[in-house]
Amino acid sequence: MPDFHSVTRRLARGHGLLAAATVLAAAAVLAAALAFAGRGFDLTDEAYYVLSMQEPAAYRMTSTLFGYALRPVYLLLGGSIAGLRIFGALAIAALGAAAMALVLSSRRRSGTSSPAQRRRGTMRSMVEGACPARGVTALVAAGAALPAMFYGFWLPTPSYNWLALAAGLLLLPAILLLAGRDRGPALPAGLAALAGLIAALAKPPTAVAYAALFLAAAILLVREPRRIAAVLALAFAFTAAGLAALALLLPLETVWAQTKGYMEMHGAAPPAGRGPIGDLLAFLIHPRGWPFITAAVAASLAAPSGSEALTRRAAAALAFAAVAAGTVLALTFPIFPSLGPGMAAVAFGAIALALLGGADRRLCLALALAGLLPLGAALGTTNDTVSQTSLHAGLFGLVALTAAASARRAWIAPFTALALVLLTGIAVWKGAAKPYRLAAPLWRQTETVEIGAYGSLRLDPHTAAFVRALREDASQKGFCAGDPVIDLTGELPGVAVALGGRTPGLQWLFGGYPFSETLAAWVLAGVDEGTKRRAWLVVGEGRIAFSGVFVRSLGFAVPEVYDLVFDGAHPLYGTPVRLFRPRSAAPCPGR
């Protein structure tokens, strides 16, 4: 009878083409994300991200410290938007590859262990599948590609959502490593502490969720009280050291004042939406939630050991149905809101199939906990929480990939890796074909335009004409780099970015929410009168623009003491957008 190593060598030769195809597909996905890095620019959300990194301490309130976290990268790259996007794509690819490599290397590191040791729960016994060198390469390559699902929505500039994903990519291997006994507690504790610190800078609710998941993983997976205490003590010590470092680096008085400002305006809860519990309940009764429910039922049926044959067949049928339905949901419906729910069904269906295939139950429990990371990453959003998991769907993909790697049949892992990478490629293509809040697909973003002090980007003809005319007219009327710009359209902080100006009080005066007028009045009340008198005003007639009556109530007498500089149309919606110059504006130095 052939030994294990001779069998895997033959299987590796038989599936080498599959592994090569996975590596090539992963490279193509990453190349596409990098190739499109200099194309398109959302004048709303992405402008908010850039302004947050440019001057994170300049604003009256904040609910996230991502601007402080990413400012060093912003400065290192000279404020280049394209450079920030390239950094973001490469960073999450590296984290995804490292996450997969950590799990697989841990398994392979214990390759000389005895059968008794493997039965006690080493990662080798838990991830048993086909991992000759080429198979490992394919799985690591897939791990690098899967986080690119983040670009299915095409908001590629790093942000708080990007940081939450990066933190999740650190916490996922930390949770999985707790399932094995072949490593000490230091590595998972250190990864968890770093993930928690990054998540805290991104979104505090995400940090709380991640901490709860790691605590649950330590208790449920480690099980021995002394080892649990060691893991948690190390995680706490690493976190305390990280917090001390942040206290030295951050302007704590400013951060505290900004946090108090947010609490004064909104309290502790997100300012809009029905909340994560309401979102989750609405998801479960909606048809897009049914594949996930099916997968969860399949996993619950497969979990007990020694189940009857009929129960196992029912669990297998449900798991296959959930994976198929989740794939269809992710492929055929819009990325937002369907990619996350679809991938959740795929991930938990894969866990059910792994259980039925004899995978270690502790590993599968770890995978189930890791499968909750996208939901934790989505907490704190003003959008639908479950839909928001679409930005973090790559975490679901890594869960499914690890479950497949635990299969005893050698072809399952590379086949799953290729399928998941192809699904990621489709998500990226859909993002490029219909990018969020852009007027044309990315391949039609071809006209090079200077964007303030942030380098050049390629934009579609409508947006390029809008930005060029805006910049030319403002320059002719004496706009100076760094001049204050107050956007009263509710949706165009990108005007300040395009002009190279700054936004006093807040990066973006959000329009369209019940609290919008209260927020705008509160923010501008804290801006000194001299700055307000010198500020250029952006006024619109869009669906969420502040009304003329409200604008006057803020103390802006438009047009009596302002000159109309630019009169154009929103490049996406076609609604009027006007830029006004204050007559009291001083000329630029040196002109």
Side-chain angles (χ1 to χ4, degrees), residues 43 461-471 492 495 566 569-571 577:
L43 294 168
H462 287 298
T463 307
F466 175 86
V467 172
R468 285 196 191 106
L470 179 72
R471 285 173 55 83
L492 283 176
V495 169
F566 169 79
H570 193 294
V577 176

Side-chain angles (χ1 to χ4, degrees), residues 13 31 37 45 51 57 96 129 139 148 158 172 192 229 311 360 422 466 516 523 525:
R13 288 193 294 270
D45 289 73
L51 291 167
L139 293 178
L172 185 144
T311 301
D360 185 274
L422 292 176
F466 175 86
S516 291
V523 167

Side-chain angles (χ1 to χ4, degrees), residues 427-496:
V428 172
W429 178 84
K430 289 170 76 172
K434 195 174 182 180
Y436 179 67
R437 217 187 261 131
L438 298 187
L442 294 183
W443 49 82
R444 293 183 184 171
Q445 309 274 338
T446 56
E447 300 195 17
T448 302
V449 180
E450 290 293 321
I451 304 291
Y454 310 97
S456 61
L457 293 173
R458 293 185 179 185
L459 307 180
D460 63 87
H462 287 298
T463 307
F466 175 86
V467 172
R468 285 196 191 106
L470 179 72
R471 285 173 55 83
E472 290 171 6
D473 292 351
S475 178
Q476 290 174 5
K477 294 295 184 180
F479 187 89
C480 310
D483 274 352
V485 179
I486 296 176
D487 169 43
L488 297 168
T489 69
E491 58 186 344
L492 283 176
V495 169

Side-chain angles (χ1 to χ4, degrees), residues 288-307:
R288 70 188 174 110
W290 298 349
F292 171 75
I293 293 175
T294 303
V297 171
S300 65
L301 290 175
S305 57
S307 301

Side-chain angles (χ1 to χ4, degrees), residues 300-539:
S300 65
L301 290 175
S305 57
S307 301
E308 296 181 359
L310 181 61
T311 301
R312 292 175 61 81
R313 284 196 293 269
L318 289 172
F320 280 117
V323 170
T327 303
V328 170
L329 183 63
L331 287 176
T332 60
F333 290 88
I335 292 293
F336 195 94
S338 299
L339 180 62
M343 287 302 301
V346 170
F348 281 85
I351 293 171
L353 292 172
L355 285 165
L356 293 170
D360 185 274
R361 276 157 171 73
R362 186 185 288 119
L363 173 65
C364 291
L365 176 57
L367 289 171
L369 290 170
L372 299 177
L373 288 172
L375 185 62
L379 293 180
T381 180
T382 57
N383 297 315
D384 175 70
T385 305
V386 177
S387 299
Q388 195 78 3
T389 62
S390 298
L391 294 173
H392 314 290
L395 294 168
F396 288 131
L398 287 169
V399 168
L401 184 60
T402 306
S406 71
R408 298 182 186 277
R409 295 189 179 182
W411 61 271
I412 293 178
F415 175 81
T416 303
L418 179 59
L420 287 169
V421 171
L422 292 176
L423 200 157
T424 304
I426 292 171
V428 172
W429 178 84
K430 289 170 76 172
K434 195 174 182 180
Y436 179 67
R437 217 187 261 131
L438 298 187
L442 294 183
W443 49 82
R444 293 183 184 171
Q445 309 274 338
T446 56
E447 300 195 17
T448 302
V449 180
E450 290 293 321
I451 304 291
Y454 310 97
S456 61
L457 293 173
R458 293 185 179 185
L459 307 180
D460 63 87
H462 287 298
T463 307
F466 175 86
V467 172
R468 285 196 191 106
L470 179 72
R471 285 173 55 83
E472 290 171 6
D473 292 351
S475 178
Q476 290 174 5
K477 294 295 184 180
F479 187 89
C480 310
D483 274 352
V485 179
I486 296 176
D487 169 43
L488 297 168
T489 69
E491 58 186 344
L492 283 176
V495 169
V497 173
L499 294 177
R502 60 186 184 87
T503 52
L506 196 64
Q507 306 95 315
W508 171 17
L509 298 176
F510 313 100
Y513 291 99
F515 60 83
S516 291
E517 290 190 353
T518 303
L519 172 65
W522 179 82
V523 167
L524 294 174
V527 177
D528 66 273
E529 290 299 322
T531 299
K532 285 196 285 189
R533 282 195 300 269
R534 292 186 297 106
W536 296 54
L537 303 184
V538 188
V539 178

